[in-house]
Amino acid sequence: MTELPALLWFRRDLRLRDHPALLAAAADGEVVPLFVVDPALWGPSGDVRRVYLLRSLRALDASLDGRLVVEEGDPATVLPAVAQRTGARRVHVTADTGPYGRRRDQAVEQALAAADRELVRTGTNYAIGPGTLRTGSGSPFQVFTPFSRAWREHGWPRPAESPGSARFVADAGAGVGGAHWPAEPDLGDLVLPEAGEEAAARRWHDFLDERLDDYAGDRDRPDVNGTSQLSAPLKWGELHPRTILAALSSERSAGAETYRTEIAWREFYADVLWNRPETAREYYRPQLEALAYAEPGAAFRAWSEGRTGFPVVDAGMRQMRAEGWIHNRVRMISASFLVKDLHVDWRHGAREFMHWLRDGDLASNNHGWQWVAGSGTDAAPFFRIFNPVTQGKKFDPQGDYVRRYVPELRHLAGSAVHEPWAAADGYAEGYPERIVDHAHERKVALDDYARVRA
């Protein structure tokens, strides 16, 4: 009797190591590795995410000796067609927990069942699957600290074993929807780091060896190389958080503890999105939608292009356009400036970030924006308004970060770079003047919050 192959449908798990769905597919027999370019996801993506994804897929294809099948179209149509073409009875996936992914997988499952085939979900993209943890009363967690405590107490599995003897089909055929890889968009001068599983593993081990011990203090310093920059590999599943947590299991330093907490934040936001899928686009605290927001006009464009006249904000926005990434501390400063100084609805900023970021993750990005905007899961958040000058001086004390991305201010030494208006030659190289008065706009924001709260 001829052995039938199994399909392994890659999505946000672009790796071969620590991959339970791959092991489940390999247990069925030969594996057809497949990626579907879904127009519902590809269309809204910015070019930065498209390029990073394509490069990650090419790295995966190389590790599979050119066996990766890339199709284009609606997965509910593509998957049954590929299964019929290859003779596969089962399609294996890592469970998707996002709002669209859950709907899409249900449609694929129904389409496969109609053809007497099966969708098999194995594993999760998180250490603990979203929706797993509950409070003592059985309700979802709404605050991070108790979630983090429960997350640590629950624990997570060890990394999955090596795929070892997995056999991949070498001639699974060309695509049903067009038989081509999408063309890679031109990013101009924007430079991305190397993508793929091996590059992610190198970056992780370099961080472990060189920066983990200092992470607790350096993670907030955009002027130093103090973070792991693994957000994109985690987003695309080039590296699993379970792998990271296993490597940290014997580490007791402040840096290791802080890094575990950052992983917990990522898992918390995924859990919030699982339980409240509407909060990807809507307010977690709906009453704050009544704030007096401004239309995203000229001020929004100045913010998005890094021309606000506030150096650390502008450096962050220019970093994003140069690298497809922005330091987390500066993300918070820039987001606070848009919502609290320019009074623009957080959803406009969230969309701008998702357009430019290589690590654009719906749960982390949009709930991070809600946290800053005061409409999210934080217990008393709206009064947190970042002062861009004091934040710049505190976390970029010598101004190195600002000078790296704002060439018009490179003539200013040290912390003077954060207040060009105080230097006689601060605007000599064409840097724009401040578009708002922070102290005034802070008061406007707080007064408006008091109105809504009342």
Side-chain angles (χ1 to χ4, degrees):
M1 182 176 178
T2 304
E3 182 184 69
L4 295 176
L7 282 177
L8 176 61
W9 178 18
F10 286 97
R11 288 99 70 88
R12 287 180 54 179
D13 51 0
L14 306 181
R15 65 185 185 280
L16 300 183
R17 293 189 289 268
D18 192 5
H19 199 315
L22 168 56
L23 297 178
D28 277 355
E30 283 193 306
V31 178
V32 177
L34 171 70
F35 185 86
V36 180
V37 180
D38 182 351
L41 294 175
W42 182 262
S45 293
D47 282 347
V48 176
R49 263 188 298 157
R50 291 173 180 165
V51 170
Y52 191 93
L53 170 59
L54 287 172
R55 293 178 184 178
S56 187
L57 287 171
R58 294 198 182 280
L60 178 63
D61 186 45
S63 67
L64 291 166
D65 297 324
R67 290 178 168 88
L68 181 65
V69 179
V70 176
E71 306 279 359
E72 183 176 3
D74 182 347
T77 300
V78 172
L79 267 298
V82 177
Q84 180 179 9
R85 188 177 78 227
T86 59
R89 309 304 304 176
R90 288 153 67 92
V91 176
H92 292 268
V93 296
T94 302
D96 196 324
T97 58
Y100 170 74
R102 290 157 70 180
R103 296 193 305 271
R104 174 204 58 205
D105 287 359
Q106 184 176 23
V108 169
E109 186 172 38
Q110 292 171 350
L112 288 171
D116 195 27
R117 289 176 166 86
E118 183 181 3
L119 182 69
V120 182
R121 299 171 178 86
T122 305
T124 170
N125 292 315
Y126 299 90
I128 301 174
T132 300
L133 300 177
R134 286 290 186 269
T135 66
S137 65
S139 61
F141 284 96
Q142 299 183 53
V143 179
F144 172 72
T145 299
F147 172 88
S148 176
R149 188 180 306 117
W151 180 78
R152 292 166 189 267
E153 291 172 354
H154 182 282
W156 37 81
R158 296 284 302 170
E161 63 187 56
S162 168
S165 59
R167 295 171 292 124
F168 296 96
V169 175
D171 55 351
V176 279
H180 69 278
W181 289 63
E184 183 173 299
D186 182 6
L187 297 182
D189 295 331
L190 191 148
V191 178
L192 294 178
E194 184 181 359
E197 180 178 13
E198 297 306 322
R202 286 194 300 272
R203 197 171 304 145
W204 167 235
H205 289 296
D206 287 347
F207 175 74
L208 269 179
D209 295 340
E210 299 171 7
R211 298 190 297 284
L212 177 64
D213 288 345
D214 298 321
Y215 178 72
D218 285 353
R219 71 189 182 96
D220 277 325
R221 292 281 302 273
D223 58 329
V224 300
N225 183 21
T227 67
S228 66
Q229 293 203 30
L230 287 172
S231 50
L234 284 168
K235 149 66 178 185
W236 296 110
E238 299 167 336
L239 184 68
H240 198 285
R242 184 175 48 227
T243 303
I244 290 174
L245 291 166
L248 293 176
S249 61
S250 61
E251 298 283 347
R252 295 292 179 266
S253 67
E257 180 59 25
T258 303
Y259 201 89
R260 273 188 287 265
T261 300
E262 293 303 303
I263 295 291
W265 270 108
R266 182 176 182 270
E267 306 240 331
F268 173 60
Y269 283 147
D271 191 74
V272 171
L273 187 60
W274 168 275
N275 290 293
R276 296 277 305 277
E278 78 282 1
T279 61
R281 303 289 190 286
E282 300 174 13
Y283 279 64
Y284 187 89
R285 300 181 186 277
Q287 62 271 29
L288 289 192
E289 196 167 2
L291 289 168
Y293 290 116
E295 288 299 313
F300 178 83
R301 289 192 296 275
W303 171 82
S304 67
E305 295 170 3
R307 297 184 291 101
T308 68
F310 289 86
V312 73
V313 173
D314 293 342
M317 300 306 291
R318 295 187 194 189
Q319 179 184 26
M320 186 165 64
R321 290 184 173 224
E323 302 172 8
W325 186 83
I326 178 173
H327 188 279
N328 187 61
R329 167 58 58 171
V330 186
R331 292 188 197 208
M332 293 189 288
I333 299 169
S334 299
S336 177
F337 186 85
L338 181 69
V339 177
K340 309 288 178 63
D341 286 67
L342 301 184
H343 316 295
V344 172
D345 189 313
W346 66 266
R347 290 173 289 196
H348 295 289
R351 282 194 292 269
E352 183 74 4
F353 271 29
M354 288 293 284
H355 176 79
W356 285 99
L357 290 173
R358 63 182 186 249
D359 62 1
D361 177 271
L362 186 65
S364 293
N365 181 70
N366 288 27
H367 284 105
W369 269 91
Q370 294 226 48
W371 183 89
V372 170
S375 62
T377 54
D378 201 352
F382 195 84
F383 298 101
R384 183 191 299 108
I385 299 178
F386 288 93
N387 183 315
V389 177
T390 57
Q391 288 280 310
K393 287 183 174 181
K394 181 176 180 180
F395 296 110
D396 181 26
Q398 297 304 313
D400 294 333
Y401 175 75
V402 166
R403 278 187 291 274
R404 189 182 312 149
Y405 296 103
V406 185
E408 308 99 294
L409 295 177
R410 287 176 184 165
H411 64 291
L412 298 179
S415 65
V417 77
H418 295 293
E419 296 179 284
W421 49 87
D425 60 345
Y427 296 109
E429 300 298 325
Y431 184 66
E433 296 190 13
R434 291 169 288 181
I435 62 174
V436 294
D437 180 314
H438 170 73
H440 172 74
E441 301 305 336
R442 179 181 184 277
K443 184 178 185 304
V444 169
L446 291 176
D447 288 348
D448 194 34
Y449 176 68
R451 173 187 64 81
V452 170
R453 189 180 184 188

